[in-house]
Every structure is written in C-alpha cells, then in structure tokens.
Amino acid sequence: MPTGLAASDLLAGRVRRSAALAAVVVLLCGLTLALAYVNKARCAGAPFDADGRSIVFDIAKDSDVCYSDIQFLWLGRDINEHVFPYLGGGITDDGALVGGAVEYPVLSGLLMWLGAVGADNDAEFLLHSALLLAPFALLTAWMLARLAGRAALLWAAGPPLVLYAFHNWELPVVCTAVAAVYVMGVLTRYSLRTRGILAAVLLGLGFCLKLYPGIFVLPLVAYVLTGGVERDRDQSDRDFDIRGALLAAAAAAGTVVAVNLPFALAGYEGWRASITFQQLRQADITTNSIWYWGLRPMFGQDVQSEAIFQQVVSVASPMLVIAAFALAMWLGWRRYLTTGVFPWVGVSGAMLCGFLLFHKVHSPQYTLWLVPFLVLLEVPWWQIGSYLVADAAIGIGVFRYFYSMGQGTSVDLMENIVQFGVWGRASLLVVLFFVFLWALPRGYRPAPPPVPRYEPGDLVPVV
C-alpha cells in the first residue's frame, strides 16, 4: 500500500499547487490554534491567589468548558516551583506525586518544565506552553498536506484542534507519529531500510512523549521486513529483509533507552513514579471509558464491589488491548499476502483504535491521536463526521455534566449526552478498526492501464 504523496501531487506541473495548498493549510492551522488558545484562556487571568492560580479557573472551568490539564497542573506537580522533573520526588502510598514527579513520560515532563520557565502564574504557564506546542501542530499540518492534500484541513481547521490543542501536551507526540509516516512515504530517495530506521527513531521519541506511537513500531518493522512498495513482485518470501527489520526495531528500542536512561539513573524513584501512577489509575467517572459506563453498573456500590470492579478492569483491559493488536497484525498480514504490501499505516490506525476502545482511560484529547489516520486513509466522510459528533458530546458534555453535579441540579440530560458520546465513539472505533485495515491512502489512485496504439502492419496492438 503506497504511503507517499497524494496522486495529484505526483503529477508534473502540480508542485506549485501542492506548495500553495500546504501554505494555506498551515495558515488555517495557525488561526485555529489562536482560537484554541482563546478558548482555554477564558479560564485564565487575574486575579490570582497566592499560588498563582487564576481565581476564575475553579469557577468557570466546567461551566464554560475551558478546562485544560495544562492550567490545572500548574499546581500539584511542583511546576509552579520550577522543580526540574523526575530527578527527585516520587509517589506516595495513596498515589500522590511529589517532589517534581509527573505522570507523563520524560519528554512530556521536559516540555512541562520548559513551559513554566519565566511563568509566575497559571495564565503565563498556559501561554508559554501554547507557544511551545503550537509549532508541532503547524509542522503536522504541513506534513499532512503534503501526504494527503486537502484532507489535511480536517487536522488544521477541525473541531478537535479547537477543543484539545492546548488541553494537554498531545501536539508533539502526534507530530512524531505523522513524521514517521512522512519519512516512509516522502523521503523515497533513501533506501527503505534507512527510512525505516529513521521512522523507528521518531516513533521511539513519540513513546518518550506519550507512549502510544510505540505500538506502531511493530507494523513498521513488518513493512520493512516485507520490502514495502519497493519489493519486486517476482521476489519470494525468502527475500525478507530480516536485517532491516531488526535494525528498525533496535533503533526504536535504543531511542527509548537513550532518552530514559539518564533520568532513571539520576532519580529512579522520580522516574519510576510516572509509570506507577498510570498503573494505579482507576477506571472512574473521569476516564470516559466503556469500562466505567458499561461494566461498572454491574457491580455494587460498596467498597468491596468497587475493588473487584477495578481488579477486573486491570486484567481485562490489557488482555483485550493485546488481543486487538494481534488481530490487527494478523489481518494486516492477510492483506499483505493478497496485495504484496503490508499496510503498516492502516494496521497502526487499527491498533490505535483497539487501544482507545479497551484502555481504562480515554481522555477527550486522545482524539488528536486519531485524526491523522482519518486524514491519511480514505475513510468515508460520514464516518468521520459521526465520530466528531460523538467526540464533541464527550469533549463538551462531560464538563457540563461535572458542572451540573457540582451545582446539585439535574444531571439526566448531560449524562445522556455523555453516554451518547461514549457509546457512539466506541462503536465507531470498532468500525474504524476494520476500515483502516483495508483503506487506501487518501488521494491515492492506481495508475491507468496503458492505452494500446496501432501501427501499420500490426496484427496486435503495441503498448
């Protein structure tokens, strides 16, 4: 399955049009990012309390749907004290992070620390972080425009970027994942093995930001192993590039080790605390998962029932995630046997769907992880529109739901909206799992067969 430029971009004479389109996409992305910042900044600004927290934050974050993890985490992780992350601190017995420990992988922790440099309150931290994160979104927009043409507008000017661009630290990790696809599909002057190694490094860096790009290494390795689109159709299975596949896998693993090892050696407890925090996190009302809304009502309301529920989730969730990964790889291999090309981008998208569906936490901003696959692959637009509607029901409805609970007013309407979002999103993830596996790259069209021509005296057409 080709993963390069859209077919229109490959035609001679279209280069200028492609560059102009990319420029427009990047410009619109910049405007969308400005709107996204204004949306979150409604919760930030003077007056501040003694810790630099905006007074308006706790008043408006749910009612006005302007909450962001960035602003929230100004307090509670020693970010306001400008403590360098991971080198000290740890996690308490009740799961509280202390002494500079944060719950994210090390590169995200570094971005959090950098965003706080020069900031004296949460409003400045939000602004600095937005300025730090925005270039990653712009670069992503440019790469998607080069890869998929006008469909990149879904990323650059779509609702998810408005809602979630500055909700958390997602933009850099999305950029690394898209960059891996860009390297494999566009930098074709380099060998497949070289591109595979570089893409694996990018995915390793993504793992050090938010983990999820690490799951794409396996389909990437399979793509390199099977020769990508460069494989001669006459080659046999014995011509697998085992060395190239091993080098790509080693590049990803080596990147993860190289980034994490200094932190683990300098402050193991602080570094390990981020992993422990995620392990201890429970499937509750804040996680927006099918586990809370689907499985939790089957258990009682007492403490023992809650403990049993959490134990079931802690076992069932990873097992189903792994099963989804295995199914995606198997179906991807089946397609390879049919077409001769392993669909590594489609398999990666399917694996992400499995993760989002079965993981115990499904935060609203994770939609930003999925959008590039909706851009890169030929997914029907009605499915995309349906997913965005369900996502908005979560991204907006859940905060209004929390507001209603806090005010003691009826929550029936908002709870129904949230459940619509949860189950609508879940059902569409199942659909997208299979759609991704068989979808062509956005804009790709097979070359037309040659037109036969006749010459005088020919008994058969000359091609």
Side-chain angles (χ1 to χ4, degrees):
M1 181 183 75
T3 56
L5 298 173
S8 59
D9 294 336
L10 294 174
L11 300 176
R14 299 292 181 88
V15 176
R16 290 182 179 178
R17 182 180 299 178
S18 174
L21 174 63
V24 170
V25 169
V26 172
L27 176 61
L28 289 175
C29 184
L31 295 175
T32 304
L33 290 170
L35 181 59
Y37 171 74
V38 170
N39 178 45
K40 296 300 185 184
R42 292 180 297 128
C43 273
F48 304 97
D49 64 17
D51 294 318
R53 166 71 77 211
S54 299
I55 301 299
V56 69
F57 179 73
D58 288 324
I59 299 173
K61 61 183 175 64
D62 292 332
S63 61
D64 293 356
V65 195
C66 53
Y67 169 89
S68 73
D69 290 334
I70 294 176
Q71 189 179 357
F72 175 76
L73 290 176
W74 169 251
L75 300 178
R77 303 293 185 269
D78 288 331
I79 293 174
N80 60 316
E81 301 293 338
H82 306 286
V83 175
F84 195 83
Y86 307 107
L87 299 188
I91 188 168
T92 64
D93 292 338
D94 58 355
L97 295 167
V98 295
V102 298
E103 57 265 54
Y104 304 121
V106 295
L107 293 185
S108 287
L110 284 179
L111 290 173
M112 296 167 71
W113 177 78
L114 286 171
V117 172
D120 295 319
N121 53 64
D122 62 353
E124 292 177 350
F125 179 48
L126 177 63
L127 174 60
H128 295 180
S129 297
L131 294 174
L132 186 65
L133 297 174
F136 293 100
L138 296 172
L139 178 57
T140 300
W142 181 82
M143 290 187 292
L144 289 175
R146 297 288 293 145
L147 286 163
R150 289 177 295 178
L153 292 170
L154 177 64
W155 166 265
L161 200 63
V162 176
L163 291 173
Y164 312 125
F166 306 121
H167 188 94
N168 199 287
W169 291 266
E170 310 300 335
L171 297 179
V173 67
V174 175
C175 187
T176 61
V178 173
V181 179
Y182 184 86
V183 165
M184 295 301 294
V186 177
L187 303 186
T188 52
R189 62 183 178 274
Y190 302 106
S191 70
L192 176 63
R193 183 182 292 181
T194 299
R195 284 179 282 140
I197 292 172
L198 179 54
V201 169
L202 289 165
L203 294 178
L205 292 173
F207 181 88
C208 298
L209 284 159
K210 280 296 181 74
L211 299 186
Y212 85 89
I215 66 179
F216 306 155
V217 173
L218 187 57
L220 172 65
V221 167
Y223 184 75
V224 175
L225 174 70
T226 55
V229 296
E230 291 90 339
R231 175 177 289 277
D232 190 321
R233 291 182 181 273
D234 295 329
Q235 286 181 293
S236 68
D237 291 348
R238 291 175 295 180
D239 294 314
F240 286 154
D241 185 7
I242 298 175
R243 178 179 173 81
L246 292 175
L247 286 172
T255 300
V256 173
V257 172
V259 172
N260 282 273
L261 188 58
F263 292 90
L265 293 177
Y268 178 78
E269 293 301 325
W271 172 81
R272 182 66 175 81
S274 64
I275 302 172
T276 303
F277 181 91
Q278 296 299 337
Q279 291 174 332
L280 294 176
R281 190 168 183 186
Q282 298 186 336
D284 57 27
I285 197 171
T286 68
T287 58
N288 309 296
S289 69
I290 61 172
W291 298 107
Y292 177 81
W293 290 104
L295 189 62
R296 183 64 185 86
M298 301 180 185
F299 293 79
Q301 299 301 314
D302 57 285
V303 175
Q304 184 178 4
S305 296
E306 173 67 16
I308 295 174
F309 163 69
Q310 296 297 341
Q311 186 176 8
V312 170
V313 173
S314 67
V315 174
S317 174
M319 288 182 61
L320 288 172
V321 168
I322 293 172
F325 291 174
L327 178 61
M329 287 296 297
W330 180 71
L331 291 174
W333 193 260
R334 290 280 302 272
R335 184 174 178 188
Y336 159 69
L337 295 176
T338 301
T339 66
V341 179
F342 186 85
W344 86 275
V345 176
V347 171
S348 297
M351 293 172 77
L352 179 60
C353 287
F355 177 83
L356 295 176
L357 179 62
F358 294 122
H359 189 48
K360 61 184 176 181
V361 178
H362 191 161
S363 297
Q365 72 271 12
Y366 292 175
T367 298
L368 293 177
W369 304 358
L370 192 68
V371 169
F373 291 99
L374 301 177
V375 172
L376 291 168
L377 299 171
E378 291 232 2
V379 179
W381 286 104
W382 72 265
Q383 294 178 9
I384 295 174
S386 299
Y387 191 89
L388 294 183
V389 169
D391 173 71
I394 289 288
I396 298 173
V398 71
F399 295 106
R400 294 294 304 177
Y401 180 49
F402 293 156
Y403 174 71
S404 297
M405 287 193 295
Q407 294 296 305
T409 58
S410 174
V411 300
D412 292 344
L413 174 60
M414 300 316 303
E415 183 174 313
N416 288 336
I417 291 175
V418 170
Q419 292 214 43
F420 165 79
V422 169
W423 296 111
R425 190 174 60 181
S427 60
L428 286 165
L429 285 172
V430 175
V431 173
L432 291 172
F433 179 94
F434 295 99
V435 170
F436 284 159
L437 286 166
W438 291 96
L440 291 172
R442 180 77 65 181
Y444 169 74
R445 295 292 182 272
V451 178
R453 58 185 175 85
Y454 292 88
E455 296 180 357
D458 286 339
L459 297 179
V460 295
V462 177
V463 178

